[in-house]
Amino acid sequence: MEDEQEPPLQPRKQTQGRVLLQTVCAAGIGGTFQFGYNLSIINAPTAHIQEFTNQTWQVRTGQPPPDHLILVTWSLIVSLYPLGGLFGALLAGPLAVVLGRKKSLLVNNVFVVAAAILFGFSHRAGSFEMIMLGRLLVGVSAGVSMSIQPMYLGESAPKEFRGAVAMTSAIFTALGIVMGQVVGLRELLGGRQSWPLLLASCLVPGVLQLASLPLLPESPRYLLIDRGDTEACLAALQRLRGTQDLAAELAELEEERAACQGLRAWRPWELFQDRTLRRQVVSLVVLASAMELCGNDSVYAYASSVFGEAGVPREKVQYAIIGTGCCELLTACISCMVIERAGRRVLLIGGYCLMTCWGSIFTVALCLQSSFAWMPYLAMSCIFAFILSFGIGPAGVTGILATELFDQMARPAAYMVCGALMWTMLFLVGLGFPFMMEGLSYFLYVPFLVVCVCGALYTGFFLPETKGKTFLEISEELHRLNFPGQSPGPMWRAPKVTQSTEL
């Protein structure tokens, strides 16, 4: 009898894995992939867009532009992306509550389509303002997707794979960075005439998501807890889990639903006012800030000059930079495979400690690069090692925190806070980095190293491990940490209203 029952189990596992994988890919290709892609493709056409701005101004006014105009315009084109991301992060919470996780990702592609049209026709229309508006819109799209994608995947995955599935957000970010670097090569779309197509190519992943995501299920947690639709929740679980026994998972969902009964979604500012969320909010603020202030994005900005100092020919630097993106992609994939064994804390502490080590060696190498001929090569090696260390933990684990540390009612607001913090920090680092380079010179990375040390120490002393635990178990542990010595109490507290999804 055992032999007769065994064959059906394999198709069940295959069905479960296939639908979950399809969900991950469909959410990622139009989600964090877009963030990484649009972050990196803007580097290749820098000179061409500045030249276009110069020519456009001369055609309009009949005279050369002022010296500062080109620099200011380019700075706006770059900085409007994180500014749009901030708007998108603030928009993500209401969208996730009102439309649901899946529909929010689909509607989000409206911004991508509008931006691609603006990019594609900007040269023909002779308008650099269209490029600026397009960058703002793709930023809004990235801000929405970076908050909703990990929320959607974290709620859809079984607890034993939740960390690995949520880590795919980092994989798609790194994949987007690499693809943007590759497509931006001079031999492809990085040439003088093709840069509008390069910027407009963000339409392709958006179309792929619009074609695939509607065929996949909504978050079961959202359907049951927020919408109260038991049948739709069961149907989504059956598609995601196959035909396996769902009784235990349904019981957990029903228990969480009962705890949330009569409660409304939290507003972002309310997270800071309630003592029951003290540990969660502090962890989110500290670690989300640390991820953006640890210096990884600045390493990318510094890479070109370091590669030049190491003797890499100028025309070959673009290929070396692709190697940095591949490093982050590689470690994101490795972390995805080991996170459920190693745990969140180990990856975060290990990542920040290694970044501190390599960043310190990098600083020494910069100081001594004129004294020893081999120092530039050591500095170049440290760049790859630093990015590899970032990909081990901070790049992916940080995005899981808002999913695992907050309950269903607080999760959208938590992602709004996390997204707003991350995009604000990204904007400030991009704005202040040139001044830091000028003021600190070879000691540029010392402030970033302090952040890495603080991130490792906070994780080691204050962040609880969430590996393999249900959301209810995590909430009970956090309650004990917030109220030491007290017995576990109800974990979801908020003012009662008639609709549980009102934001």
Side-chain angles (χ1 to χ4, degrees):
M1 291 297 292
E2 290 180 359
D3 293 335
E4 293 177 3
Q5 292 176 352
E6 222 169 285
L9 293 177
Q10 194 66 21
R12 290 178 192 175
K13 292 181 180 179
Q14 291 176 354
T15 301
Q16 173 190 356
R18 183 170 64 249
V19 175
L20 189 59
L21 179 62
Q22 290 170 350
T23 303
V24 166
C25 292
I29 193 64
T32 52
F33 178 90
Q34 285 277 33
F35 164 67
Y37 187 75
N38 287 291
L39 190 67
S40 64
I41 61 169
I42 198 64
N43 295 321
T46 299
H48 305 317
I49 294 177
Q50 290 178 347
E51 182 184 351
F52 167 66
T53 304
N54 192 348
Q55 293 173 351
T56 302
W57 184 267
Q58 290 194 32
V59 170
R60 291 179 183 178
T61 64
Q63 54 186 348
D67 293 338
H68 65 278
L69 179 68
I70 303 299
L71 181 60
V72 169
T73 303
W74 179 249
S75 298
L76 282 173
I77 289 173
V78 173
S79 60
L80 280 172
Y81 184 65
L83 185 62
L86 175 60
F87 293 150
L90 297 176
L91 182 62
L95 278 178
V97 171
V98 175
L99 297 180
R101 290 32 167 170
K102 186 178 83 168
K103 287 182 181 178
S104 295
L105 289 173
L106 291 172
V107 170
N108 188 40
N109 285 289
V110 171
F111 300 112
V112 176
V113 173
I117 293 172
L118 289 169
F119 289 144
F121 290 99
S122 59
H123 189 273
R124 181 170 295 183
S127 172
F128 54 82
E129 294 87 353
M130 292 173 67
I131 302 176
M132 295 164 65
L133 181 57
R135 288 289 291 176
L136 181 68
L137 291 176
V138 291
V140 173
S141 171
V144 171
S145 62
M146 283 192 72
S147 295
I148 294 181
Q149 180 188 333
M151 191 191 315
Y152 173 49
L153 296 179
E155 292 178 1
S156 300
K159 67 177 183 179
E160 59 269 21
F161 298 124
R162 189 173 61 233
V165 168
M167 275 290 289
T168 59
S169 297
I171 292 177
F172 277 98
T173 298
L175 182 61
I177 290 173
V178 174
M179 287 300 298
Q181 291 168 341
V182 171
V183 175
L185 291 173
R186 286 187 294 271
E187 296 83 351
L188 297 177
L189 294 180
R192 184 183 301 272
Q193 303 299 325
S194 55
W195 63 263
L197 288 177
L198 173 63
L199 297 182
S201 61
C202 62
L203 181 63
V204 176
V207 169
L208 289 175
Q209 185 178 73
L210 287 171
S212 57
L213 193 57
L215 306 176
L216 297 163
E218 175 61 277
S219 157
R221 266 187 162 75
Y222 172 80
L223 292 171
L224 182 65
I225 300 173
D226 289 80
R227 289 302 182 200
D229 193 338
T230 306
E231 292 184 3
C233 171
L234 182 58
L237 277 176
Q238 286 175 337
R239 288 198 63 194
L240 288 166
R241 309 287 186 263
T243 55
Q244 67 183 51
D245 185 15
L246 303 174
E249 189 165 0
L250 275 174
E252 180 210 333
L253 287 174
E254 287 290 355
E255 187 178 354
E256 189 173 347
R257 178 190 184 186
C260 294
Q261 192 68 36
L263 306 181
R264 64 161 171 80
W266 291 71
R267 297 179 175 90
W269 55 89
E270 292 176 341
L271 300 182
F272 296 89
Q273 299 170 351
D274 196 288
R275 194 184 170 195
T276 62
L277 297 176
R278 181 179 55 193
R279 178 70 64 104
Q280 297 93 306
V281 171
V282 172
S283 298
L284 188 69
V285 170
V286 170
L287 295 175
S289 300
M291 190 182 82
E292 292 301 333
L293 296 178
C294 67
N296 185 70
D297 294 325
S298 303
V299 164
Y300 280 108
Y302 212 80
S304 297
S305 59
V306 171
F307 291 153
E309 290 285 344
V312 178
R314 188 174 179 180
E315 65 276 6
K316 302 295 183 183
V317 167
Q318 59 178 347
Y319 303 106
I321 291 176
I322 291 175
T324 61
C326 291
C327 286
E328 189 171 334
L329 176 60
L330 173 65
T331 48
C333 293
I334 293 173
S335 297
C336 182
M337 292 185 285
V338 304
I339 187 171
E340 295 301 345
R341 292 185 179 181
R344 284 64 160 157
R345 282 163 42 87
V346 170
L347 293 182
L348 273 177
I349 295 171
Y352 279 125
C353 288
L354 288 172
M355 290 168 72
T356 304
C357 172
W358 294 117
S360 301
I361 298 174
F362 181 63
T363 301
V364 173
L366 289 179
C367 294
L368 300 177
Q369 63 181 348
S370 59
S371 303
F372 301 94
W374 50 271
M375 276 297 172
Y377 299 98
L378 177 61
M380 184 170 66
S381 302
C382 287
I383 284 181
F384 286 104
F386 191 92
I387 293 172
L388 284 166
S389 304
F390 177 76
I392 286 175
V397 177
T398 308
I400 304 174
L401 297 179
T403 297
E404 296 193 329
L405 298 183
F406 293 86
D407 62 51
Q408 191 77 9
M409 296 294 101
R411 195 170 295 130
Y415 269 104
M416 290 174 69
V417 171
C418 181
L421 269 173
M422 291 170 63
W423 285 102
T424 301
M425 296 298 177
L426 183 63
F427 176 77
L428 293 176
V429 169
L431 200 63
F433 186 71
F435 301 99
M436 292 176 63
M437 286 183 67
E438 184 176 347
L440 297 177
S441 185
Y442 297 142
F443 299 98
L444 169 70
Y445 279 92
V446 172
F448 298 132
L449 299 181
V450 173
V451 172
C452 291
V453 171
C454 292
L457 290 175
Y458 183 87
T459 303
F461 286 107
F462 300 107
L463 186 70
E465 181 57 73
T466 56
K467 178 183 70 172
K469 297 176 181 177
T470 67
F471 286 117
L472 285 173
E473 290 170 344
I474 295 170
S475 295
E476 289 170 1
E477 181 175 353
L478 287 166
H479 183 80
R480 288 194 296 269
L481 292 172
N482 285 322
F483 301 97
Q486 295 186 18
S487 59
M491 297 313 305
W492 289 268
R493 294 191 177 100
K496 292 189 177 182
V497 295
T498 53
Q499 292 184 355
S500 65
T501 55
E502 180 184 332
L503 191 66

